[in-house]
Amino acid sequence: IFDRSWYGRVLTERVDRIVPKRIWSHAFDEIKSFERQLVDQGAVVLKFFLHISKKEQKKRFQKIEKIPAQSWKVTKQDWKHHKQYESYFEAAEEMLARTDSEYAPWTLVASEDRRFATVQIFKTFVSAVGAKLATAEKPQPPASVVRTERIGSSVLDRVDLSKTLTRDAYSTKLKTLQERMRDLEHTIYLQRIPVIIVFEGWDAAGKGGDIKRLTAPMDPRGFEVVPIGAPNDIEKAHHYLWRFWSKIPKGGHICIFDRSWYGRVMVERVEGFCTEEEWKRAYREINEMEEQWCFFGAAVIKFWLHIDKEEQMRRFEERKQVPYKQWKITDEDWRNREKWGAYKEAVDEMLFRTSTNHAPWTIVESDCKLYGRIKVLQTVIKGIENKLK
């Protein structure tokens, strides 16, 4: 139960001019997509707007102020908002009109009579939750169905994996790029720009090595590396994107995801951990989420580390032979390799459907580790510099 909510952006923050119009106006679409995601995952969203007149509000304020034990409830801010009643009325009308939906409707509660208002809220709650429970065991269509057409070509098939870099050239470039990365970390901290970096790729493609070279020159207090594995019981009980939202960096900090929310359209899709409708819907949900981050001011940089099947086998065998690398190779890696074709199809569709203007994918040719590491550094630097501009 939220006593006030995310709608503060289009009410208080709008009327008090805490944020400009372009921010609160954009929030209507963000709110609708957020609520749609919750409902699609199975939640019941009930929204109540309790309405009283300006005259009744003043009467209640004065009554509360006369009671010593309750007078603290009425503040100077409350009286200020009372004077702004007409402005709030206008903002509330637009909010109700623009965010009322079939999947998350508003209930306008006439609250001059407290008993009438209470009964209306109870009736609405019982009706909505009762209807949900009555259909809980029956397969139900989601609130918003996403239909996708099969993509006609492979992005991965067009990648040139023959690109290489000599050790000398690598060493020279690495030093220069790491120095630039060190300076940029300081700059984004001063300007309070959050940076989100995503690493996805084939097993043994070199994610750990790329992250190690990227973070080597950076102050560890300014970044966090988040390794993503299978969700735990608490995470499974929430919306699948919940655990990623909780890790999003604050302004001026960097968060590096070693695997990410894209597991829904890869591992969960291929292994059958979610339904077809769920992973198809996830393309839109992920795009909306990343767009919200970018609108907030974050730089979102996404990498797919690509190697061919033969190179992966060579690296798997190497890991078996080197004692300090043996922990990196698991039975799951071998099982995933057997499904190379299914994963390739999933990756191709992921790249096609989630590479957007605000959060594009960068495919890193990683058969040559040296070449891949340099490309990662160059891309991160360019992404941050573009955001700074």
Side-chain angles (χ1 to χ4, degrees):
I1 300 173
F2 286 91
D3 180 5
R4 303 194 185 279
S5 65
W6 44 91
Y7 282 96
R9 171 132 297 185
V10 295
L11 285 176
T12 306
E13 294 183 30
R14 168 185 176 174
V15 176
D16 289 347
R17 299 182 179 181
I18 296 173
V19 295
K21 182 176 180 179
R22 72 176 186 87
I23 298 292
W24 62 255
S25 182
H26 186 79
F28 289 119
D29 290 332
E30 293 183 329
I31 287 170
K32 285 190 292 185
S33 70
F34 168 61
E35 292 173 349
R36 183 178 58 210
Q37 288 181 14
L38 295 177
V39 174
D40 282 345
Q41 192 78 358
V44 178
V45 177
L46 297 165
K47 303 184 300 191
F48 298 101
F49 188 85
L50 277 57
H51 179 56
I52 56 175
S53 66
K54 186 177 183 180
K55 181 179 179 181
E56 176 66 16
Q57 186 184 59
K58 181 179 180 180
K59 176 183 170 183
R60 294 187 183 185
F61 280 0
Q62 291 173 337
K63 181 179 179 180
I64 293 172
E65 284 185 326
K66 290 179 182 178
I67 304 173
Q70 295 184 16
S71 60
W72 61 270
K73 293 181 179 181
V74 181
T75 66
K76 291 181 179 179
Q77 189 78 354
D78 292 329
W79 282 113
K80 175 188 173 185
H81 290 166
H82 175 71
K83 292 178 180 179
Q84 299 171 300
Y85 185 92
E86 288 76 16
S87 296
Y88 272 98
F89 187 95
E90 179 183 347
E93 277 198 318
E94 184 174 2
M95 175 195 77
L96 293 170
R98 295 185 62 176
T99 59
D100 186 59
S101 62
E102 182 181 354
Y103 49 85
W106 277 102
T107 298
L108 183 59
V109 183
S111 301
E112 300 276 335
D113 185 310
R114 293 174 185 267
R115 286 172 291 189
F116 176 85
T118 300
V119 171
Q120 185 180 0
I121 290 171
F122 267 70
K123 282 184 174 180
T124 305
F125 177 88
V126 170
S127 176
V129 177
K132 183 70 174 180
L133 290 172
T135 59
E137 296 181 1
K138 301 177 183 178
Q140 295 293 313
S144 50
V145 177
V146 177
R147 293 179 174 84
T148 58
E149 299 297 328
R150 193 176 184 87
I151 60 174
S153 61
S154 169
V155 178
L156 296 180
D157 285 345
R158 299 194 296 270
V159 177
D160 180 6
L161 290 175
S162 65
K163 294 181 178 180
T164 60
L165 197 64
T166 65
R167 175 64 66 174
D168 289 342
Y170 166 76
S171 298
T172 301
K173 289 177 180 288
L174 182 66
K175 180 180 179 180
T176 302
L177 293 171
Q178 286 183 331
E179 288 176 354
R180 179 58 179 154
M181 194 63 225
R182 177 198 61 202
D183 295 340
L184 284 175
E185 184 192 20
H186 177 64
T187 304
I188 64 166
Y189 177 76
L190 294 177
Q191 297 196 22
R192 293 296 186 267
I193 295 175
V195 177
I196 301 163
I197 304 174
V198 175
F199 281 90
E200 293 283 1
W202 296 107
D203 294 329
K207 292 184 291 295
D210 288 350
I211 293 171
K212 181 178 180 180
R213 273 70 182 183
L214 175 64
T215 59
M218 292 160 54
D219 188 322
R221 293 168 294 184
F223 73 90
E224 179 183 11
V225 178
V226 180
I228 298 297
N232 58 35
D233 290 344
I234 295 175
E235 291 165 343
K236 287 179 181 178
H238 289 79
H239 190 284
Y240 77 97
L241 293 176
W242 172 78
R243 63 170 170 157
F244 304 109
W245 267 104
S246 65
K247 296 294 184 180
I248 295 307
K250 61 184 178 181
H253 288 248
I254 300 171
C255 189
I256 300 169
F257 288 91
D258 183 355
R259 302 199 183 278
S260 67
W261 42 95
Y262 283 99
R264 166 123 314 192
V265 295
M266 288 192 293
V267 177
E268 293 183 40
R269 166 184 172 171
V270 174
E271 303 297 339
F273 296 148
C274 64
T275 67
E276 181 178 358
E277 193 58 54
E278 286 174 329
W279 63 255
K280 283 186 174 180
R281 191 173 67 237
Y283 297 125
R284 184 196 64 218
E285 294 172 337
I286 289 170
N287 286 340
E288 289 174 343
M289 179 178 71
E290 292 175 351
E291 182 181 11
Q292 290 171 13
W293 294 341
C294 292
F295 189 80
F296 170 67
V300 179
I301 304 165
K302 304 183 302 191
F303 295 107
W304 174 260
L305 274 55
H306 191 46
I307 56 176
D308 61 34
K309 200 172 182 180
E310 291 71 27
E311 177 63 17
Q312 185 188 64
M313 175 59 81
R314 188 190 69 78
R315 294 182 185 183
F316 277 12
E317 293 295 341
E318 179 188 18
R319 287 180 175 183
K320 287 171 59 179
Q321 302 303 321
V322 180
Y324 69 86
K325 289 185 177 182
Q326 288 175 357
W327 66 272
K328 292 184 177 184
I329 187 75
T330 65
D331 291 340
E332 185 177 349
D333 294 328
W334 290 107
R335 286 195 300 269
N336 291 345
R337 179 176 167 80
E338 292 176 1
K339 298 180 181 179
W340 181 281
Y343 273 102
K344 180 175 177 293
E345 180 180 347
V347 173
D348 267 321
E349 188 163 4
M350 175 193 76
L351 296 172
F352 177 78
R353 299 196 188 282
T354 61
S355 191
T356 59
N357 290 334
H358 50 268
W361 280 101
T362 296
I363 298 177
V364 181
E365 303 87 342
S366 299
D367 268 12
C368 173
K369 290 184 179 181
L370 304 184
Y371 179 88
R373 293 167 187 169
I374 294 301
K375 184 169 182 176
V376 165
L377 273 161
Q378 289 172 332
T379 305
V380 171
I381 289 169
K382 182 179 179 181
I384 294 174
E385 288 176 341
N386 288 341
K387 179 59 68 172
L388 290 171
K389 291 176 184 178

